[in-house]
């Protein structure tokens, strides 16, 4: 495997949060320690589950679906942990809220970019469907149309998605965003901060892999240098080494497309394309029939994979959006409680 193209990036703009956990006055109770350990155990298990058996698996829609599902589970877990910690918004540091809202906006932006690429790939599938429909007929006119549809598909798939070009800057923004500061120096706040650190690492890693696979550019990969005091550090280190190293190795081979299922469709297209030259009926009917059926199966597999992944990405978008909306709603409620009768001279304000 090739060596990382960029140096490992530190993830502690505000200093090491785990040093704070071991500082004086921040010893965790058995209950808080149990909550933190349960969260980190679950995260470690998810990271181990994502470790591919083969380096090419990471470029498949099936692996990407699994990765996004794991991300949804981690973000759901942090919501559950926040509830179990009974840590109301009023106890959150104002800077913490600013950081959370900033990160959530970046995640929504990158979800939009991923969704746009999935839509673009699905549009390409419609071109293939048109080609396959025309290939069902042996007329010269239909064969010419099929060839034209395949030409359009290859041009469409080979084009660049401008939305993906912003992924690198968004990911850099996530890495460079401040680590979550102290929450009024409370033990609960420190537990939440350490758990959120794991969420951030998991999120940035998966999103960077998605950006690299969709764009076919290994420059979107990030090599994250994480603290060795978490229960999931080894699982993450193994995962990052295998996935990032594997992707860089595959990209160095100069494939037409990074996505495994898309590459398989391209292979089938290359086998079929010479048989429909200039609208002439294929001479070898059996070979044409086999190639036609093969393209149909691979195109259907690609379409199903895209549909499944699209649903999971949409689900992650909704999780991030609902978390952001919940925070803003709680902030409005806390502001109302703090000043229930806004207006001059202490009088109740009437709309």
């Amino acid at each position: 495997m090739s060596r990382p193209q960029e140096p490992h990036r530190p993830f502690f703009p505000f200093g090491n949060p785990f040093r704070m956990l071991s500082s004086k006055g921040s010893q965790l109770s058995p209950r808080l320690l149990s909550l933190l350990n349960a969260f980190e155990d679950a995260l470690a298990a998810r990271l181990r589950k994502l470790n591919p058996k083969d380096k090419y698996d990471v470029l498949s829609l099936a692996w990407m679906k699994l990765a996004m599902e794991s991300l949804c589970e981690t973000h759901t877990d942090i919501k559950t942990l926040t509830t179990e910690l009974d840590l109301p918004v009023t106890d959150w540091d104002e800077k913490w809220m600013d950081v959370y809202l900033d990160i959530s906006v970046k995640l929504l932006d990158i979800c939009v970019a991923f969704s746009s690429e999935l839509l673009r790939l699905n549009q390409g599938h419609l071109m293939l469907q048109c080609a396959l429909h025309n290939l069902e007929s042996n007329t010269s006119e239909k064969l010419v149309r099929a060839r034209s549809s395949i030409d359009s598909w290859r041009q469409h798939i080979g084009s660049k998605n401008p939305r993906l070009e912003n992924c690198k800057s968004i990911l850099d923004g996530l890495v460079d965003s401040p680590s979550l500061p102290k929450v009024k120096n409370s033990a609960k706040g420190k537990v939440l901060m350490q758990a959120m650190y794991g969420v951030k690492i998991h999120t940035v890693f998966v999103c960077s892999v998605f950006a690299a696979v969709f764009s076919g550019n290994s420059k979107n990969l990030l090599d994250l240098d994480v603290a060795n005091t978490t229960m999931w550090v080894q699982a993450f280190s193994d995962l990052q080494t295998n996935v990032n190293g594997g992707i860089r190795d595959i990209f160095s081979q100069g494939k037409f497309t990074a996505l495994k299922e898309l590459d398989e469709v391209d292979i089938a297209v290359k086998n079929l394309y010479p048989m429909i030259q200039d609208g002439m009926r294929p001479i070898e009917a059996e070979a044409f029939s086999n190639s036609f059926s093969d393209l149909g199966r691979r195109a259907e597999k690609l379409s199903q994979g895209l549909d499944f992944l699209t649903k999971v990405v949409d689900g992650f978008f909704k999780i991030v959006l609902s978390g952001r909306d919940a925070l803003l709603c709680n902030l409005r409620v806390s502001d109302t409680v703090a000043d229930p009768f806004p207006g001059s001279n202490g009088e109740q304000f009437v709309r």
Side-chain angles (χ1 to χ4, degrees):
M1 293 185 182
S2 58
R3 301 181 67 177
Q5 296 178 349
E6 296 180 359
H8 287 274
R9 305 182 69 169
F11 233 66
F12 302 120
F14 274 14
N16 189 334
F18 308 104
R19 189 177 300 123
M20 299 177 190
L21 279 173
S22 60
S23 61
K24 182 178 179 181
S26 62
Q27 295 298 319
L28 301 182
S29 67
R31 176 178 175 274
L32 291 180
L33 188 59
S34 176
L35 289 174
L36 179 59
N37 287 345
F39 177 87
E40 294 201 336
D41 274 340
L43 178 56
R46 290 189 197 105
L47 295 174
R48 284 192 292 267
K49 188 177 179 180
L50 288 180
N51 222 326
K53 296 180 180 179
D54 183 89
K55 65 181 179 181
Y56 288 97
D57 289 345
V58 75
L59 300 181
S60 69
L61 290 170
W63 185 91
M64 296 176 75
K65 174 177 175 288
L66 182 64
M68 188 56 68
E69 285 174 341
S70 74
L71 207 52
C72 290
E73 291 170 359
T74 295
H75 279 254
T76 299
D77 273 6
I78 197 66
K79 286 186 178 181
T80 302
L81 178 63
T82 303
T83 301
E84 291 176 336
L85 288 174
D86 190 23
L87 192 62
V89 174
T90 52
D91 284 351
W92 288 9
D93 189 289
E94 183 176 348
K95 190 176 293 185
W96 190 99
M97 288 183 273
D98 291 340
V99 170
Y100 178 86
L101 293 174
D102 178 65
I103 290 176
S104 65
V105 167
K106 290 182 173 67
L107 289 180
L108 293 176
D109 286 342
I110 208 165
C111 281
V112 169
F114 294 160
S115 294
S116 72
E117 178 62 9
L118 290 168
L119 177 61
R120 189 182 75 88
L121 294 174
N122 267 316
Q123 290 171 341
H125 176 70
L126 295 178
M127 300 175 188
L128 280 181
Q129 287 295 97
C130 183
L132 289 167
H133 175 72
N134 285 314
L135 287 172
E136 292 176 351
S137 172
N138 285 328
T139 65
S140 296
E141 181 183 359
K142 293 289 187 178
L143 291 176
V144 170
R145 290 182 181 178
R147 185 180 175 88
S148 176
S149 294
I150 290 177
D151 287 338
S152 297
W153 175 80
R154 299 199 71 178
Q155 183 178 4
H156 179 77
I157 295 301
S159 63
K160 299 294 183 181
N161 183 349
R163 286 187 179 272
L164 291 178
E165 296 177 1
N166 298 325
C167 286
K168 185 63 167 64
S169 60
I170 296 175
L171 289 168
D172 286 340
L174 285 172
V175 172
D176 296 335
S177 62
S179 295
L180 302 178
K182 294 183 292 184
V183 186
K184 292 188 177 181
N185 200 31
S186 70
K188 291 182 180 180
K190 291 184 175 72
V191 169
L192 182 61
M193 181 178 62
Q194 179 163 336
M196 284 296 294
Y197 174 74
V199 175
K200 187 175 178 181
I201 291 289
H202 189 185
T203 303
V204 172
F205 170 74
V206 170
C207 288
S208 71
V209 172
F210 270 51
V213 173
F214 281 146
S215 66
N217 191 342
S218 61
K219 290 183 179 180
N220 283 317
L221 291 175
L222 296 176
D223 297 289
L224 306 175
D225 192 10
V226 302
N228 60 4
T229 53
T230 65
M231 300 176 66
W232 46 265
V233 60
Q234 189 60 52
F236 175 77
S237 178
D238 293 342
L239 177 64
Q240 179 173 247
T241 299
N242 292 336
V243 169
N244 287 5
I247 290 177
R248 289 187 174 109
D249 186 40
I250 295 171
F251 281 9
S252 67
Q253 300 173 17
K255 284 185 171 292
F256 167 69
T257 175
L259 199 57
K260 183 178 179 180
E261 289 85 352
L262 195 57
D263 194 54
E264 291 176 351
V265 170
D266 182 57
I267 292 173
V269 166
K270 288 178 179 177
N271 290 334
L272 182 66
Y273 195 76
M275 300 181 187
I276 53 175
Q277 295 279 2
D278 303 322
M280 299 295 292
R281 293 183 181 182
I283 298 176
E284 299 181 5
E286 184 178 355
F288 171 77
S289 178
N290 291 337
S291 295
F292 172 78
S293 298
D294 185 45
L295 176 58
R297 286 193 298 269
R298 297 187 184 199
E300 182 62 24
K301 180 181 178 182
L302 171 63
S303 177
Q304 289 181 353
L306 291 173
D307 288 344
F308 290 149
L309 183 56
T310 297
K311 291 178 182 178
V312 182
V313 171
D314 288 346
F316 179 62
F317 180 92
K318 291 176 182 178
I319 288 173
V320 175
L321 185 61
S322 65
R324 178 182 173 84
D325 288 347
L327 174 59
L328 292 174
C329 181
N330 287 334
L331 285 174
R332 287 193 292 269
V333 171
S334 63
D335 286 343
T336 302
V337 173
D339 189 6
F341 304 115
S344 58
N345 299 324
E347 297 178 354
Q348 183 174 359
F349 177 74
V350 181
R351 294 180 180 270

